[in-house]
Amino acid sequence: MPCSNRALDGLLGQIADAEAAGVRIVHGGNRIDRPGFYLEPTIVTGIAEDNPLYQQEAFGPVLSFYVVDTEDEAIRLANATRFGLGSYVFDADVDHARQVAARLEAGMVYINSCFADSPSLPFGGVENSGFGRELSELGIAEFVNRKLVRVAR
């Protein structure tokens, strides 16, 4: 859920702009009438490449639903964003899922699970979703000055 009225208004604006540009709202899209900053879980589909939502992150309960015919199309779609925090692959064939994960441009790929973060795992994205990592040994290394000493003989 959005954390403030400003965040909720921004999310509602994203949904309205996307709808004006042609998406279909399958479910939700409205503020819930209760105290706080609540948005109905929202599902949108029919998102064309020229729709603003195609290149935006919606920080709230908004699911952008796409239909593709092939795995290559799905990977192209997943990689067609300026963002790259996390991706998810679900497949009974874990070896195949690893092959798909290798083709995804994301800082983290979860196979057969969602939101499996842990302080022991590195957290971070690529492209406009960040640089470097938080948490784990990789995250701590972001704050360490390392010195190279090389002796030539």
Side-chain angles (χ1 to χ4, degrees), residues 13-47:
Q14 278 182 289
I15 293 167
D17 290 347
E19 185 175 30
V23 303
R24 181 172 159 247
I25 298 176
V26 177
H27 180 80
N30 300 299
R31 181 182 190 137
I32 297 175
D33 186 22
R34 62 182 285 189
F37 315 109
Y38 294 96
L39 176 72
E40 294 173 321
T42 303
I43 301 171
V44 297
T45 191
I47 306 165

PDB file of all heavy atoms in Angstrom, residues 13-47:
ATOM      1  N   GLY A  13      -2.817   8.546 -10.355  1.00  0.00           N
ATOM      2  CA  GLY A  13      -2.485   9.262 -11.580  1.00  0.00           C
ATOM      3  C   GLY A  13      -1.873   8.351 -12.628  1.00  0.00           C
ATOM      4  O   GLY A  13      -2.189   8.453 -13.818  1.00  0.00           O
ATOM      5  N   GLN A  14      -0.974   7.450 -12.187  1.00  0.00           N
ATOM      6  CA  GLN A  14      -0.386   6.487 -13.118  1.00  0.00           C
ATOM      7  C   GLN A  14      -1.469   5.622 -13.754  1.00  0.00           C
ATOM      8  O   GLN A  14      -1.445   5.365 -14.965  1.00  0.00           O
ATOM      9  CB  GLN A  14       0.602   5.572 -12.390  1.00  0.00           C
ATOM     10  CG  GLN A  14       1.966   6.136 -12.180  1.00  0.00           C
ATOM     11  CD  GLN A  14       2.854   5.103 -11.502  1.00  0.00           C
ATOM     12  OE1 GLN A  14       2.685   4.785 -10.325  1.00  0.00           O
ATOM     13  NE2 GLN A  14       3.798   4.569 -12.259  1.00  0.00           N
ATOM     14  N   ILE A  15      -2.396   5.167 -12.944  1.00  0.00           N
ATOM     15  CA  ILE A  15      -3.479   4.309 -13.446  1.00  0.00           C
ATOM     16  C   ILE A  15      -4.349   5.088 -14.422  1.00  0.00           C
ATOM     17  O   ILE A  15      -4.688   4.592 -15.503  1.00  0.00           O
ATOM     18  CB  ILE A  15      -4.307   3.739 -12.271  1.00  0.00           C
ATOM     19  CG1 ILE A  15      -3.445   2.776 -11.446  1.00  0.00           C
ATOM     20  CG2 ILE A  15      -5.568   3.046 -12.780  1.00  0.00           C
ATOM     21  CD1 ILE A  15      -4.054   2.398 -10.102  1.00  0.00           C
ATOM     22  N   ALA A  16      -4.699   6.328 -14.086  1.00  0.00           N
ATOM     23  CA  ALA A  16      -5.537   7.146 -14.966  1.00  0.00           C
ATOM     24  C   ALA A  16      -4.823   7.436 -16.286  1.00  0.00           C
ATOM     25  O   ALA A  16      -5.428   7.350 -17.367  1.00  0.00           O
ATOM     26  CB  ALA A  16      -5.922   8.451 -14.259  1.00  0.00           C
ATOM     27  N   ASP A  17      -3.530   7.773 -16.216  1.00  0.00           N
ATOM     28  CA  ASP A  17      -2.764   8.043 -17.438  1.00  0.00           C
ATOM     29  C   ASP A  17      -2.675   6.793 -18.313  1.00  0.00           C
ATOM     30  O   ASP A  17      -2.793   6.866 -19.540  1.00  0.00           O
ATOM     31  CB  ASP A  17      -1.352   8.532 -17.094  1.00  0.00           C
ATOM     32  CG  ASP A  17      -1.339   9.925 -16.482  1.00  0.00           C
ATOM     33  OD1 ASP A  17      -2.378  10.626 -16.542  1.00  0.00           O
ATOM     34  OD2 ASP A  17      -0.281  10.301 -15.929  1.00  0.00           O
ATOM     35  N   ALA A  18      -2.460   5.651 -17.685  1.00  0.00           N
ATOM     36  CA  ALA A  18      -2.374   4.398 -18.438  1.00  0.00           C
ATOM     37  C   ALA A  18      -3.712   4.074 -19.087  1.00  0.00           C
ATOM     38  O   ALA A  18      -3.764   3.657 -20.252  1.00  0.00           O
ATOM     39  CB  ALA A  18      -1.930   3.261 -17.514  1.00  0.00           C
ATOM     40  N   GLU A  19      -4.794   4.300 -18.342  1.00  0.00           N
ATOM     41  CA  GLU A  19      -6.122   4.023 -18.907  1.00  0.00           C
ATOM     42  C   GLU A  19      -6.418   4.969 -20.074  1.00  0.00           C
ATOM     43  O   GLU A  19      -6.929   4.535 -21.115  1.00  0.00           O
ATOM     44  CB  GLU A  19      -7.189   4.155 -17.823  1.00  0.00           C
ATOM     45  CG  GLU A  19      -8.575   3.759 -18.299  1.00  0.00           C
ATOM     46  CD  GLU A  19      -9.609   3.783 -17.206  1.00  0.00           C
ATOM     47  OE1 GLU A  19      -9.482   4.588 -16.257  1.00  0.00           O
ATOM     48  OE2 GLU A  19     -10.562   2.985 -17.298  1.00  0.00           O
ATOM     49  N   ALA A  20      -6.055   6.233 -19.930  1.00  0.00           N
ATOM     50  CA  ALA A  20      -6.273   7.201 -21.019  1.00  0.00           C
ATOM     51  C   ALA A  20      -5.472   6.821 -22.263  1.00  0.00           C
ATOM     52  O   ALA A  20      -5.878   7.134 -23.384  1.00  0.00           O
ATOM     53  CB  ALA A  20      -5.897   8.604 -20.547  1.00  0.00           C
ATOM     54  N   ALA A  21      -4.349   6.136 -22.051  1.00  0.00           N
ATOM     55  CA  ALA A  21      -3.501   5.714 -23.176  1.00  0.00           C
ATOM     56  C   ALA A  21      -3.863   4.317 -23.685  1.00  0.00           C
ATOM     57  O   ALA A  21      -3.156   3.773 -24.522  1.00  0.00           O
ATOM     58  CB  ALA A  21      -2.035   5.774 -22.770  1.00  0.00           C
ATOM     59  N   GLY A  22      -4.939   3.719 -23.147  1.00  0.00           N
ATOM     60  CA  GLY A  22      -5.443   2.497 -23.757  1.00  0.00           C
ATOM     61  C   GLY A  22      -5.407   1.213 -22.954  1.00  0.00           C
ATOM     62  O   GLY A  22      -5.853   0.187 -23.454  1.00  0.00           O
ATOM     63  N   VAL A  23      -4.895   1.200 -21.726  1.00  0.00           N
ATOM     64  CA  VAL A  23      -4.923  -0.067 -20.992  1.00  0.00           C
ATOM     65  C   VAL A  23      -6.349  -0.393 -20.573  1.00  0.00           C
ATOM     66  O   VAL A  23      -7.211   0.480 -20.493  1.00  0.00           O
ATOM     67  CB  VAL A  23      -4.013  -0.084 -19.727  1.00  0.00           C
ATOM     68  CG1 VAL A  23      -2.591   0.233 -20.050  1.00  0.00           C
ATOM     69  CG2 VAL A  23      -4.558   0.769 -18.631  1.00  0.00           C
ATOM     70  N   ARG A  24      -6.558  -1.638 -20.301  1.00  0.00           N
ATOM     71  CA  ARG A  24      -7.854  -2.103 -19.795  1.00  0.00           C
ATOM     72  C   ARG A  24      -7.684  -2.426 -18.326  1.00  0.00           C
ATOM     73  O   ARG A  24      -6.815  -3.227 -17.957  1.00  0.00           O
ATOM     74  CB  ARG A  24      -8.295  -3.344 -20.574  1.00  0.00           C
ATOM     75  CG  ARG A  24      -9.632  -3.879 -20.132  1.00  0.00           C
ATOM     76  CD  ARG A  24     -10.110  -4.988 -21.080  1.00  0.00           C
ATOM     77  NE  ARG A  24     -11.081  -5.776 -20.361  1.00  0.00           N
ATOM     78  CZ  ARG A  24     -10.913  -7.035 -19.997  1.00  0.00           C
ATOM     79  NH1 ARG A  24      -9.823  -7.685 -20.333  1.00  0.00           N
ATOM     80  NH2 ARG A  24     -11.849  -7.673 -19.331  1.00  0.00           N
ATOM     81  N   ILE A  25      -8.487  -1.805 -17.479  1.00  0.00           N
ATOM     82  CA  ILE A  25      -8.469  -2.122 -16.052  1.00  0.00           C
ATOM     83  C   ILE A  25      -9.411  -3.298 -15.840  1.00  0.00           C
ATOM     84  O   ILE A  25     -10.618  -3.185 -16.022  1.00  0.00           O
ATOM     85  CB  ILE A  25      -8.876  -0.913 -15.193  1.00  0.00           C
ATOM     86  CG1 ILE A  25      -7.870   0.220 -15.402  1.00  0.00           C
ATOM     87  CG2 ILE A  25      -8.951  -1.307 -13.718  1.00  0.00           C
ATOM     88  CD1 ILE A  25      -8.207   1.493 -14.676  1.00  0.00           C
ATOM     89  N   VAL A  26      -8.823  -4.434 -15.488  1.00  0.00           N
ATOM     90  CA  VAL A  26      -9.600  -5.657 -15.305  1.00  0.00           C
ATOM     91  C   VAL A  26     -10.223  -5.688 -13.916  1.00  0.00           C
ATOM     92  O   VAL A  26     -11.321  -6.196 -13.718  1.00  0.00           O
ATOM     93  CB  VAL A  26      -8.696  -6.892 -15.519  1.00  0.00           C
ATOM     94  CG1 VAL A  26      -9.452  -8.182 -15.260  1.00  0.00           C
ATOM     95  CG2 VAL A  26      -8.117  -6.891 -16.921  1.00  0.00           C
ATOM     96  N   HIS A  27      -9.501  -5.130 -12.950  1.00  0.00           N
ATOM     97  CA  HIS A  27      -9.986  -5.129 -11.566  1.00  0.00           C
ATOM     98  C   HIS A  27      -9.386  -3.943 -10.830  1.00  0.00           C
ATOM     99  O   HIS A  27      -8.234  -3.599 -11.021  1.00  0.00           O
ATOM    100  CB  HIS A  27      -9.592  -6.431 -10.858  1.00  0.00           C
ATOM    101  CG  HIS A  27     -10.055  -6.494  -9.439  1.00  0.00           C
ATOM    102  ND1 HIS A  27     -11.344  -6.819  -9.102  1.00  0.00           N
ATOM    103  CD2 HIS A  27      -9.410  -6.240  -8.277  1.00  0.00           C
ATOM    104  CE1 HIS A  27     -11.469  -6.777  -7.775  1.00  0.00           C
ATOM    105  NE2 HIS A  27     -10.318  -6.423  -7.267  1.00  0.00           N
ATOM    106  N   GLY A  28     -10.170  -3.330  -9.947  1.00  0.00           N
ATOM    107  CA  GLY A  28      -9.663  -2.306  -9.051  1.00  0.00           C
ATOM    108  C   GLY A  28      -9.432  -0.972  -9.727  1.00  0.00           C
ATOM    109  O   GLY A  28     -10.164  -0.551 -10.599  1.00  0.00           O
ATOM    110  N   GLY A  29      -8.379  -0.296  -9.243  1.00  0.00           N
ATOM    111  CA  GLY A  29      -8.019   1.002  -9.790  1.00  0.00           C
ATOM    112  C   GLY A  29      -8.541   2.184  -9.013  1.00  0.00           C
ATOM    113  O   GLY A  29      -8.354   3.321  -9.426  1.00  0.00           O
ATOM    114  N   ASN A  30      -9.190   1.929  -7.875  1.00  0.00           N
ATOM    115  CA  ASN A  30      -9.789   3.009  -7.105  1.00  0.00           C
ATOM    116  C   ASN A  30      -9.266   3.027  -5.672  1.00  0.00           C
ATOM    117  O   ASN A  30      -8.874   2.000  -5.129  1.00  0.00           O
ATOM    118  CB  ASN A  30     -11.319   2.841  -7.063  1.00  0.00           C
ATOM    119  CG  ASN A  30     -11.911   2.871  -8.442  1.00  0.00           C
ATOM    120  OD1 ASN A  30     -11.798   3.853  -9.158  1.00  0.00           O
ATOM    121  ND2 ASN A  30     -12.533   1.769  -8.836  1.00  0.00           N
ATOM    122  N   ARG A  31      -9.333   4.210  -5.091  1.00  0.00           N
ATOM    123  CA  ARG A  31      -9.002   4.359  -3.675  1.00  0.00           C
ATOM    124  C   ARG A  31     -10.073   3.642  -2.867  1.00  0.00           C
ATOM    125  O   ARG A  31     -11.254   3.673  -3.208  1.00  0.00           O
ATOM    126  CB  ARG A  31      -8.963   5.840  -3.317  1.00  0.00           C
ATOM    127  CG  ARG A  31      -8.594   6.096  -1.884  1.00  0.00           C
ATOM    128  CD  ARG A  31      -8.608   7.588  -1.557  1.00  0.00           C
ATOM    129  NE  ARG A  31      -8.004   7.736  -0.239  1.00  0.00           N
ATOM    130  CZ  ARG A  31      -7.135   8.668   0.073  1.00  0.00           C
ATOM    131  NH1 ARG A  31      -6.787   9.574  -0.813  1.00  0.00           N
ATOM    132  NH2 ARG A  31      -6.621   8.719   1.281  1.00  0.00           N
ATOM    133  N   ILE A  32      -9.672   2.980  -1.800  1.00  0.00           N
ATOM    134  CA  ILE A  32     -10.624   2.343  -0.892  1.00  0.00           C
ATOM    135  C   ILE A  32     -11.075   3.388   0.112  1.00  0.00           C
ATOM    136  O   ILE A  32     -10.255   4.098   0.705  1.00  0.00           O
ATOM    137  CB  ILE A  32      -9.981   1.128  -0.178  1.00  0.00           C
ATOM    138  CG1 ILE A  32      -9.607   0.055  -1.210  1.00  0.00           C
ATOM    139  CG2 ILE A  32     -10.937   0.561   0.875  1.00  0.00           C
ATOM    140  CD1 ILE A  32      -8.857  -1.129  -0.629  1.00  0.00           C
ATOM    141  N   ASP A  33     -12.368   3.502   0.297  1.00  0.00           N
ATOM    142  CA  ASP A  33     -12.949   4.522   1.172  1.00  0.00           C
ATOM    143  C   ASP A  33     -12.854   4.091   2.635  1.00  0.00           C
ATOM    144  O   ASP A  33     -13.754   3.470   3.176  1.00  0.00           O
ATOM    145  CB  ASP A  33     -14.407   4.780   0.774  1.00  0.00           C
ATOM    146  CG  ASP A  33     -15.013   5.943   1.552  1.00  0.00           C
ATOM    147  OD1 ASP A  33     -14.237   6.781   2.057  1.00  0.00           O
ATOM    148  OD2 ASP A  33     -16.247   6.008   1.638  1.00  0.00           O
ATOM    149  N   ARG A  34     -11.699   4.394   3.215  1.00  0.00           N
ATOM    150  CA  ARG A  34     -11.457   4.114   4.634  1.00  0.00           C
ATOM    151  C   ARG A  34     -10.276   4.968   5.060  1.00  0.00           C
ATOM    152  O   ARG A  34      -9.535   5.466   4.220  1.00  0.00           O
ATOM    153  CB  ARG A  34     -11.192   2.635   4.867  1.00  0.00           C
ATOM    154  CG  ARG A  34      -9.944   2.127   4.154  1.00  0.00           C
ATOM    155  CD  ARG A  34      -9.716   0.672   4.354  1.00  0.00           C
ATOM    156  NE  ARG A  34      -9.216   0.418   5.697  1.00  0.00           N
ATOM    157  CZ  ARG A  34      -8.760  -0.732   6.122  1.00  0.00           C
ATOM    158  NH1 ARG A  34      -8.741  -1.762   5.304  1.00  0.00           N
ATOM    159  NH2 ARG A  34      -8.324  -0.889   7.334  1.00  0.00           N
ATOM    160  N   PRO A  35     -10.065   5.160   6.330  1.00  0.00           N
ATOM    161  CA  PRO A  35      -8.926   5.965   6.767  1.00  0.00           C
ATOM    162  C   PRO A  35      -7.611   5.331   6.309  1.00  0.00           C
ATOM    163  O   PRO A  35      -7.447   4.107   6.333  1.00  0.00           O
ATOM    164  CB  PRO A  35      -9.036   5.952   8.293  1.00  0.00           C
ATOM    165  CG  PRO A  35     -10.466   5.628   8.580  1.00  0.00           C
ATOM    166  CD  PRO A  35     -10.912   4.746   7.451  1.00  0.00           C
ATOM    167  N   GLY A  36      -6.695   6.152   5.870  1.00  0.00           N
ATOM    168  CA  GLY A  36      -5.408   5.656   5.408  1.00  0.00           C
ATOM    169  C   GLY A  36      -5.262   5.840   3.919  1.00  0.00           C
ATOM    170  O   GLY A  36      -6.038   6.547   3.270  1.00  0.00           O
ATOM    171  N   PHE A  37      -4.266   5.199   3.358  1.00  0.00           N
ATOM    172  CA  PHE A  37      -3.904   5.395   1.953  1.00  0.00           C
ATOM    173  C   PHE A  37      -4.020   4.061   1.221  1.00  0.00           C
ATOM    174  O   PHE A  37      -3.017   3.452   0.860  1.00  0.00           O
ATOM    175  CB  PHE A  37      -2.488   5.967   1.862  1.00  0.00           C
ATOM    176  CG  PHE A  37      -2.259   7.080   2.849  1.00  0.00           C
ATOM    177  CD1 PHE A  37      -1.446   6.898   3.949  1.00  0.00           C
ATOM    178  CD2 PHE A  37      -2.904   8.296   2.689  1.00  0.00           C
ATOM    179  CE1 PHE A  37      -1.266   7.900   4.871  1.00  0.00           C
ATOM    180  CE2 PHE A  37      -2.728   9.320   3.604  1.00  0.00           C
ATOM    181  CZ  PHE A  37      -1.908   9.125   4.697  1.00  0.00           C
ATOM    182  N   TYR A  38      -5.240   3.616   1.012  1.00  0.00           N
ATOM    183  CA  TYR A  38      -5.484   2.289   0.475  1.00  0.00           C
ATOM    184  C   TYR A  38      -5.982   2.345  -0.958  1.00  0.00           C
ATOM    185  O   TYR A  38      -6.851   3.141  -1.305  1.00  0.00           O
ATOM    186  CB  TYR A  38      -6.507   1.542   1.336  1.00  0.00           C
ATOM    187  CG  TYR A  38      -5.987   1.255   2.723  1.00  0.00           C
ATOM    188  CD1 TYR A  38      -6.277   2.100   3.791  1.00  0.00           C
ATOM    189  CD2 TYR A  38      -5.183   0.151   2.951  1.00  0.00           C
ATOM    190  CE1 TYR A  38      -5.777   1.840   5.057  1.00  0.00           C
ATOM    191  CE2 TYR A  38      -4.678  -0.117   4.213  1.00  0.00           C
ATOM    192  CZ  TYR A  38      -4.982   0.735   5.261  1.00  0.00           C
ATOM    193  OH  TYR A  38      -4.482   0.478   6.502  1.00  0.00           O
ATOM    194  N   LEU A  39      -5.419   1.469  -1.777  1.00  0.00           N
ATOM    195  CA  LEU A  39      -5.819   1.319  -3.168  1.00  0.00           C
ATOM    196  C   LEU A  39      -6.299  -0.107  -3.362  1.00  0.00           C
ATOM    197  O   LEU A  39      -5.679  -1.055  -2.863  1.00  0.00           O
ATOM    198  CB  LEU A  39      -4.617   1.585  -4.102  1.00  0.00           C
ATOM    199  CG  LEU A  39      -4.854   1.368  -5.579  1.00  0.00           C
ATOM    200  CD1 LEU A  39      -5.739   2.485  -6.142  1.00  0.00           C
ATOM    201  CD2 LEU A  39      -3.535   1.337  -6.331  1.00  0.00           C
ATOM    202  N   GLU A  40      -7.397  -0.258  -4.105  1.00  0.00           N
ATOM    203  CA  GLU A  40      -7.857  -1.600  -4.430  1.00  0.00           C
ATOM    204  C   GLU A  40      -6.750  -2.331  -5.183  1.00  0.00           C
ATOM    205  O   GLU A  40      -6.051  -1.730  -6.002  1.00  0.00           O
ATOM    206  CB  GLU A  40      -9.074  -1.534  -5.354  1.00  0.00           C
ATOM    207  CG  GLU A  40     -10.301  -0.933  -4.759  1.00  0.00           C
ATOM    208  CD  GLU A  40     -11.391  -0.768  -5.810  1.00  0.00           C
ATOM    209  OE1 GLU A  40     -11.079  -0.407  -6.961  1.00  0.00           O
ATOM    210  OE2 GLU A  40     -12.553  -0.998  -5.457  1.00  0.00           O
ATOM    211  N   PRO A  41      -6.570  -3.625  -4.919  1.00  0.00           N
ATOM    212  CA  PRO A  41      -5.668  -4.382  -5.786  1.00  0.00           C
ATOM    213  C   PRO A  41      -6.125  -4.176  -7.229  1.00  0.00           C
ATOM    214  O   PRO A  41      -7.312  -4.282  -7.538  1.00  0.00           O
ATOM    215  CB  PRO A  41      -5.851  -5.829  -5.331  1.00  0.00           C
ATOM    216  CG  PRO A  41      -6.325  -5.705  -3.910  1.00  0.00           C
ATOM    217  CD  PRO A  41      -7.165  -4.451  -3.879  1.00  0.00           C
ATOM    218  N   THR A  42      -5.176  -3.859  -8.101  1.00  0.00           N
ATOM    219  CA  THR A  42      -5.511  -3.430  -9.449  1.00  0.00           C
ATOM    220  C   THR A  42      -4.795  -4.305 -10.475  1.00  0.00           C
ATOM    221  O   THR A  42      -3.597  -4.560 -10.338  1.00  0.00           O
ATOM    222  CB  THR A  42      -5.112  -1.952  -9.640  1.00  0.00           C
ATOM    223  OG1 THR A  42      -5.789  -1.170  -8.639  1.00  0.00           O
ATOM    224  CG2 THR A  42      -5.480  -1.440 -11.018  1.00  0.00           C
ATOM    225  N   ILE A  43      -5.536  -4.752 -11.475  1.00  0.00           N
ATOM    226  CA  ILE A  43      -4.971  -5.545 -12.569  1.00  0.00           C
ATOM    227  C   ILE A  43      -5.250  -4.794 -13.866  1.00  0.00           C
ATOM    228  O   ILE A  43      -6.400  -4.442 -14.148  1.00  0.00           O
ATOM    229  CB  ILE A  43      -5.593  -6.953 -12.629  1.00  0.00           C
ATOM    230  CG1 ILE A  43      -5.363  -7.691 -11.309  1.00  0.00           C
ATOM    231  CG2 ILE A  43      -5.009  -7.744 -13.810  1.00  0.00           C
ATOM    232  CD1 ILE A  43      -6.131  -8.996 -11.194  1.00  0.00           C
ATOM    233  N   VAL A  44      -4.178  -4.550 -14.643  1.00  0.00           N
ATOM    234  CA  VAL A  44      -4.331  -3.892 -15.935  1.00  0.00           C
ATOM    235  C   VAL A  44      -3.720  -4.778 -17.021  1.00  0.00           C
ATOM    236  O   VAL A  44      -2.770  -5.515 -16.776  1.00  0.00           O
ATOM    237  CB  VAL A  44      -3.692  -2.489 -15.963  1.00  0.00           C
ATOM    238  CG1 VAL A  44      -4.371  -1.568 -14.969  1.00  0.00           C
ATOM    239  CG2 VAL A  44      -2.210  -2.548 -15.680  1.00  0.00           C
ATOM    240  N   THR A  45      -4.288  -4.699 -18.207  1.00  0.00           N
ATOM    241  CA  THR A  45      -3.789  -5.477 -19.338  1.00  0.00           C
ATOM    242  C   THR A  45      -3.928  -4.643 -20.612  1.00  0.00           C
ATOM    243  O   THR A  45      -4.504  -3.558 -20.582  1.00  0.00           O
ATOM    244  CB  THR A  45      -4.528  -6.829 -19.453  1.00  0.00           C
ATOM    245  OG1 THR A  45      -3.849  -7.651 -20.391  1.00  0.00           O
ATOM    246  CG2 THR A  45      -5.974  -6.659 -19.832  1.00  0.00           C
ATOM    247  N   GLY A  46      -3.384  -5.158 -21.691  1.00  0.00           N
ATOM    248  CA  GLY A  46      -3.431  -4.423 -22.943  1.00  0.00           C
ATOM    249  C   GLY A  46      -2.481  -3.241 -22.946  1.00  0.00           C
ATOM    250  O   GLY A  46      -2.792  -2.183 -23.490  1.00  0.00           O
ATOM    251  N   ILE A  47      -1.311  -3.410 -22.367  1.00  0.00           N
ATOM    252  CA  ILE A  47      -0.347  -2.320 -22.215  1.00  0.00           C
ATOM    253  C   ILE A  47       0.572  -2.291 -23.438  1.00  0.00           C
ATOM    254  O   ILE A  47       1.456  -3.129 -23.581  1.00  0.00           O
ATOM    255  CB  ILE A  47       0.481  -2.496 -20.932  1.00  0.00           C
ATOM    256  CG1 ILE A  47      -0.446  -2.658 -19.727  1.00  0.00           C
ATOM    257  CG2 ILE A  47       1.418  -1.301 -20.737  1.00  0.00           C
ATOM    258  CD1 ILE A  47       0.251  -3.187 -18.497  1.00  0.00           C
TER     259      ILE A  47
END
